[in-house]
Amino acid sequence: MSYYDVDAILTDAQKVPCTFELEIPGLGYIDDNTGGDIKKGARVLLPLWLGELLAVQRLGTSTVVNLDLPASIAPRVLNALKADARTVDLRGLAAHFYGLAARVLDLFEEEEVVDVLSEVRRDHFPHLLRMRQEALWLEK
């Protein structure tokens, strides 16, 4: 990732679900609890960059947060992608779907996700290329 790569910056800004493993005083504003504390077990959507930083932080023997798979790569979405990838609006799931998927796969070891996304990319790319060619042809 380049420091000036706009796509990488936008990918890292996408929200991912995180579960706090510790109670943290004074951080309640992240969970719309101004002036309060974050409770252990609280599920919060955080930008990917922040979730990743907190997931690798250790306080004693416990991590601060656990990252969960984002909704755009949930089992329900994977099943829809397996059925027919062309019917799933990838941009609607995540503005930078492939970038987010690549970053998530760096953090998680999910073989099924790797297999599904490889198939999606292989099957979806010719369809996108054909649509682009048709659009160019219609412009003439």
Side-chain angles (χ1 to χ4, degrees):
M1 175 179 90
S2 169
Y3 181 77
Y4 297 107
D5 185 1
V6 175
D7 289 325
I9 293 168
L10 293 173
T11 296
D12 279 352
Q14 292 187 76
K15 305 274 179 140
V16 294
C18 300
T19 305
F20 277 83
E21 296 298 314
L22 302 169
E23 183 170 331
I24 302 179
L27 202 60
Y29 61 88
I30 290 179
D31 195 23
D32 295 330
N33 182 9
T34 308
D37 303 337
I38 284 265
K39 303 288 183 206
K40 180 179 180 175
R43 289 183 49 95
V44 180
L45 289 174
L46 296 175
L48 179 59
W49 66 268
L50 180 58
E52 182 181 4
L53 287 175
L54 292 175
V56 297
Q57 284 295 325
R58 291 186 111 27
L59 292 175
T61 60
S62 181
T63 59
V64 177
V65 300
N66 278 334
L67 283 175
D68 301 320
L69 281 176
S72 59
I73 308 176
R76 178 180 53 86
V77 174
L78 292 177
N79 288 336
L81 289 172
K82 284 180 201 174
D84 187 3
R86 293 174 295 164
T87 62
V88 179
D89 179 17
L90 298 178
R91 191 179 234 344
L93 292 172
H96 298 295
F97 179 81
Y98 287 114
L100 178 63
R103 292 281 289 124
V104 166
L105 291 175
D106 286 342
L107 302 172
F108 296 94
E109 293 182 15
E110 297 283 336
E111 289 299 321
E112 180 188 10
V113 176
V114 172
D115 295 340
V116 170
L117 293 177
S118 296
E119 286 180 34
V120 167
R121 195 161 193 166
R122 186 190 68 231
D123 296 344
H124 206 250
F125 186 72
H127 175 68
L128 292 175
L129 199 57
R130 185 172 50 254
M131 286 176 33
R132 177 68 181 142
Q133 290 295 336
E134 290 172 3
L136 288 173
W137 184 77
L138 291 174
E139 288 178 3
K140 292 181 182 182

